[in-house]
Amino acid sequence: MNFWFEMAVNAVEVTLILSFLVQYFGYKTETSAKYWGTALIWILSFCIVAFFSWTHLYENYASSLQILVNILFCVTLLRGNIFQKIFVSAFTMGLVAITATLTTLLVAKLSGNQVAFLLSHFSGIRVTSICLTKLLFFVITRIILRIKESGKLKGMDVIALVIVPMLSDLAITLMMYAAIQEPSIQTIVLYAVGIVLILNIVVYFLFIRLGKAGKIKTEMALLALQNECLQENAKDIENMYDTVRALRHDLKNHLLCILSMAEERDVEGIKQYTGQLLQQQNTVNKLIMFSGSKVLDAIINSKSAAAERAGVRLSAIITTPLAGISPEDITIILGNALDNAIRAAKDSQRKVVDIHIQPQGAYSSIVIANDIAHPVLSDNPALRTTKNIRYRHGFGIQNMRQAVERNQGLIRFYEQNDRFICDILLLNVQSRNE
């Protein structure tokens, strides 16, 4: 009975931990991989916890190893920033250790039992202690899920934050063994564990504040980029209208001049004159997009101007305004993809970039193809930046992938006929709600 009860408790603990991580980050994919991947991690976690719980009176040794398993689970199957995953994985196991130790010491104090007796004997008091532990962990994690923050964190920030739950885990283990050997200090250890719990809560709120600060910084950078594109787009449209107005104003005079040369049968003069007119009005032929989305138009028109300055020809066919896709995600995906495409096409022979945005079933399809001077994926399959200074707005391929994931989409890169192709599918809002 004792054995099966302990195994059941371990199974519940592992289920609560993995369930919390899944709800905190969410799965990367909706394929069957998330099911068998989770099952494998669950089995591995259960074996670790069960082994230490059966071979040790106080099994907190398993926490350190379980942190690594949690990180593996988050990195392979769950969404989110890698540094967030590291912190939450460590914080979760610290929380497991704190709640288990706190409730054990509290029940021991209230029942008048020694900690060693409570841990080594199966009784109604031990069952009560374990149920309180799991209930407390469940309640705290539900509260955390309500106030979680998905902002971007820096590596150094996370390293500093992760140290606290890891040291807390170690400190609690040492204090618990001290309480087992010296029952007289159980009350002091109880108070100390309570202080450790408060310290970890404070650290988590610091984690949230740092996440919010990183999120605000990213949003400000996105807004700055959008504003820059919108301003450039407004200038381009204003210049186009000025050119059209000037053309209308002078149209009568030009027609009269051409009519005069036609009456004199001056064919060469007409050819030369109309050629000069066409050359003067080349700016009218510049790509000006009106898709129905201000942000999408601004990005396309702005990058068209950038392509023109780089000597690259950009052509676009857009039959959907990407309704339902947030302006931030449109900016991240198209801004970065077009910057990369223009930069690569500039060094190619034909110097052409094509973009097609159109509906495709339940998805919106974005295909950006650019000429390349030499293969890219064979030398750099992960598409890591080769520049010493990263793109000034900081939105790289990883950010594109995350933006696509947020819209339940797919992204792939491939090369064909000396062209680099970025193929993206984003799920439509209507399909997401069904």
Side-chain angles (χ1 to χ4, degrees):
M1 175 64 179
N2 189 9
F3 172 81
W4 294 112
F5 175 77
E6 295 293 338
M7 293 302 103
V9 168
N10 295 333
V12 170
E13 178 178 311
V14 171
T15 302
L16 287 174
I17 292 171
L18 297 187
S19 173
F20 169 64
L21 293 175
V22 169
Q23 292 181 65
Y24 196 100
F25 294 109
Y27 282 110
K28 285 182 180 180
T29 176
E30 294 301 320
T31 63
S32 59
K34 73 176 186 180
Y35 298 111
W36 59 259
T38 302
L40 289 176
I41 295 294
W42 189 94
I43 293 171
L44 177 60
S45 300
F46 176 79
C47 291
I48 292 172
V49 175
F51 172 78
F52 281 97
S53 68
W54 192 251
T55 57
H56 294 77
L57 183 63
Y58 181 65
E59 70 273 14
N60 207 35
Y61 291 113
S63 295
S64 299
L65 192 55
Q66 186 61 39
I67 290 173
L68 299 178
V69 176
N70 289 349
I71 294 174
L72 174 65
F73 176 57
C74 292
V75 170
T76 54
L77 293 176
L78 304 184
R79 298 191 186 105
N81 179 274
I82 179 64
F83 299 119
Q84 267 192 320
K85 294 174 180 178
I86 293 172
F87 172 78
V88 175
S89 296
F91 178 78
T92 302
M93 296 315 301
L95 192 60
V96 169
I98 291 171
T99 53
T101 306
L102 187 65
T103 52
T104 300
L105 289 167
L106 184 60
V107 170
K109 179 177 176 59
L110 294 176
S111 62
N113 290 302
Q114 294 183 5
V115 172
F117 178 83
L118 192 62
L119 292 175
S120 59
H121 291 78
F122 180 76
S123 64
I125 297 176
R126 175 163 171 72
V127 172
T128 301
S129 174
I130 290 175
C131 291
L132 286 175
T133 297
K134 305 314 172 190
L135 179 61
L136 181 60
F137 178 78
F138 177 81
V139 171
I140 293 176
T141 52
R142 296 313 102 175
I143 295 173
I144 290 173
L145 289 174
R146 287 180 175 272
I147 60 174
K148 69 176 183 176
E149 181 55 53
S150 58
K152 191 173 182 179
L153 294 174
K154 295 181 180 179
M156 292 304 298
D157 295 335
V158 171
I159 291 174
L161 293 176
V162 166
I163 290 174
V164 175
M166 293 186 71
L167 290 180
S168 298
D169 200 11
L170 177 61
I172 285 175
T173 302
L174 296 175
M175 288 189 291
M176 194 62 170
Y177 274 103
I180 291 173
Q181 295 176 6
E182 294 291 339
S184 61
I185 65 170
Q186 284 184 189
T187 302
I188 297 175
V189 173
L190 173 62
Y191 296 149
V193 172
I195 293 172
V196 172
L197 174 61
I198 294 172
L199 176 62
N200 277 264
I201 292 173
V202 171
V203 168
Y204 182 77
F205 276 100
L206 178 60
F207 166 75
I208 291 177
R209 292 297 297 271
L210 289 173
K212 286 182 178 179
K215 186 175 182 179
I216 291 172
K217 186 176 180 181
T218 302
E219 289 175 350
M220 288 178 65
L222 283 168
L223 289 173
L225 177 58
Q226 290 175 26
N227 182 58
E228 178 185 330
C229 292
L230 287 168
Q231 288 183 353
E232 291 183 10
N233 186 38
K235 290 178 182 178
D236 291 337
I237 294 175
E238 185 178 355
N239 291 335
M240 182 190 71
Y241 285 148
D242 288 342
T243 304
V244 171
R245 282 194 293 266
L247 181 61
R248 285 189 60 187
H249 181 269
D250 296 334
L251 183 60
K252 182 177 179 180
N253 294 331
H254 291 318
L255 291 175
L256 289 172
C257 184
I258 293 172
L259 178 61
S260 175
M261 286 187 287
E263 289 175 348
E264 295 177 2
R265 299 183 183 279
D266 185 4
V267 177
E268 290 300 322
I270 293 174
K271 288 182 179 180
Q272 184 177 2
Y273 188 78
T274 53
Q276 291 174 353
L277 288 177
L278 290 173
Q279 188 174 5
Q280 292 174 5
Q281 307 307 322
N282 275 341
T283 55
V284 178
N285 294 326
K286 181 181 176 180
L287 174 63
I288 300 293
M289 185 58 57
F290 298 98
S291 68
S293 167
K294 291 182 179 179
V295 172
L296 178 58
D297 293 343
I299 293 291
I300 299 297
N301 294 335
S302 173
K303 299 310 175 186
S304 173
E308 185 180 15
R309 291 192 295 269
V312 174
R313 181 174 64 84
L314 188 149
S315 65
I317 298 176
I318 300 177
T319 57
T320 176
L322 297 178
I325 310 300
S326 71
E328 292 79 11
D329 287 342
I330 292 176
T331 303
I332 291 173
I333 294 170
L334 290 181
N336 190 79
L338 287 173
D339 276 333
N340 292 339
I342 293 168
R343 189 160 43 244
K346 181 180 178 181
D347 299 327
S348 67
Q349 185 174 1
R350 292 178 61 242
K351 304 181 187 299
V352 175
V353 174
D354 297 313
I355 175 169
H356 294 253
I357 302 178
Q358 57 192 4
Q360 186 172 319
Y363 291 83
S364 293
S365 169
I366 302 174
V367 178
I368 299 174
N370 61 272
D371 296 325
I372 50 178
H374 51 77
V376 176
L377 294 175
S378 58
D379 298 328
N380 187 12
L383 296 175
R384 294 187 176 90
T385 181
T386 57
K387 298 178 291 183
N388 293 328
I389 301 177
R390 295 177 183 271
Y391 177 55
R392 59 193 174 103
H393 293 290
F395 309 126
I397 298 296
Q398 183 62 31
N399 297 72
M400 289 178 62
R401 294 187 190 277
Q402 292 175 1
V404 171
E405 285 180 6
R406 281 194 293 272
N407 293 277
Q408 301 177 39
L410 301 169
I411 182 171
R412 66 180 181 128
F413 304 95
Y414 61 96
E415 295 171 1
Q416 186 176 24
N417 300 327
D418 296 325
R419 307 203 85 192
F420 183 90
I421 300 171
C422 173
D423 190 356
I424 300 170
L425 289 175
L426 304 176
L427 189 63
N428 296 329
V429 176
Q430 182 179 356
S431 300
R432 289 183 224 170
N433 296 332
E434 290 179 352

